[in-house]
Amino acid sequence: SYVLTQPPSVSVAPGQTARITCGGNNIGSKSVHWYQQKPGQAPVVVVYDDSDRPSGIPERFSGSNSGNTATLTISRVEAGDEADYYCQVWDTSSDHLYVFGTGTKVTVL
Amino acid sequence: EVQLVQSGTEVKKPGESLKISCQGSGYSFTSYWIGWVRQMPGKGLEWMGIIYPHDSDTRYSPSFQGQVTISADKSISTAYLQWSSLKASDTAMYYCVRIMGARGDAFDIWGQGTMVTVSS
């Protein structure tokens, strides 16, 4: 089955930029979605189809996808961005269909 | 407001059966796929399966095929996830989700989650 690999943790100071990677074989050929999950809450989609933002999501959240790596970038990080982040793809090459990444804990220093 | 509202916390014993629910409102329930996602304590997200309420077309993750049953009653805009014989390893938070458009699209609406605890 298709595997998505994320770094377990990313630390960033307020006001700086956080970059969360999601590695997968030829992931650039797939659409990648990103979810934010704060403690005790359900996840929320922050970027879909590689780089689109749902209404209500700040422009500080952006995404890119090429080759074997997709990236979620959070600019001007705020304390409220501290959360777990998961990437996700739709993999039609197997029966597993929807695949989530391993998750990245973003800590705001 | 578009929302998915799930049934409440469950505490069950191993071997018992369980059916949890997810009711959609604020949109055409039969026009969007509904999915289920498991999150075991302290762990990541796992996709379990999806159903199209219009015709009950259902797809399961191989990891959950045969372990759970997903169904829907479009007359009351409700999807279900059920177990015939729970195990301790089924202890987890379960989320229902709406899929934005076609299969393969993002999960744009999430239910609040149903916590299931299985313990003797």
Side-chain angles (χ1 to χ4, degrees):
Chain A
S1 62
Y2 194 75
V3 176
L4 294 174
T5 302
Q6 300 180 233
S9 61
V10 167
S11 297
V12 58
Q16 299 304 302
T17 298
R19 293 180 179 85
I20 305 161
T21 58
C22 176
N25 185 35
N26 197 26
I27 195 173
S29 67
K30 304 179 186 299
S31 287
V32 179
H33 317 307
W34 290 91
Y35 301 89
Q36 175 195 67
Q37 186 179 31
K38 296 182 179 180
Q41 297 184 20
V44 172
V45 59
V46 292
V47 166
Y48 65 96
D49 291 349
D50 297 340
S51 58
D52 289 336
R53 269 187 321 276
S55 60
I57 300 300
E59 291 183 9
R60 300 184 298 103
F61 289 84
S62 63
S64 63
N65 184 20
S66 178
N68 292 318
T69 304
T71 303
L72 175 69
T73 300
I74 311 172
S75 304
R76 302 180 299 283
V77 165
E78 302 174 355
D81 298 331
E82 188 162 287
D84 293 323
Y85 292 84
Y86 297 90
C87 58
Q88 181 200 47
V89 300
W90 168 254
D91 177 38
T92 55
S93 66
S94 77
D95 292 336
H96 287 269
L97 298 182
Y98 283 103
V99 180
F100 283 102
T102 48
T104 298
K105 168 69 176 175
V106 170
T107 299
V108 181
L109 301 171
Chain B
E1 179 191 7
V2 176
Q3 60 179 352
L4 296 172
V5 177
Q6 299 184 227
S7 50
T9 298
E10 300 278 0
V11 180
K12 307 292 278 185
K13 290 181 167 34
E16 292 185 331
S17 63
L18 176 64
K19 191 173 189 178
I20 63 175
S21 66
C22 167
Q23 184 170 42
S25 62
Y27 73 100
S28 175
F29 187 73
T30 54
S31 299
Y32 293 82
W33 289 82
I34 292 286
W36 288 94
V37 175
R38 183 176 79 173
Q39 187 169 38
M40 300 176 76
K43 302 298 185 183
L45 305 173
E46 301 173 88
W47 170 71
M48 302 176 71
I50 54 174
I51 187 167
Y52 192 56
H54 172 70
D55 58 7
S56 290
D57 184 10
T58 307
R59 312 296 167 91
Y60 292 93
S61 163
S63 302
F64 293 93
Q65 178 85 47
Q67 308 304 308
V68 298
T69 301
I70 294 171
S71 61
D73 184 342
K74 60 185 179 183
S75 69
I76 55 172
S77 301
T78 300
Y80 301 96
L81 178 66
Q82 69 180 83
W83 296 259
S84 59
S85 181
L86 286 160
K87 303 186 267 295
S89 58
D90 293 318
T91 295
M93 180 71 81
Y94 293 87
Y95 294 101
C96 64
V97 298
R98 188 185 81 162
I99 299 171
M100 281 179 78
R103 281 187 306 158
D105 286 349
F107 301 166
D108 66 338
I109 304 295
W110 291 66
Q112 82 276 20
T114 296
M115 183 67 208
V116 174
T117 301
V118 184
S119 174
S120 54

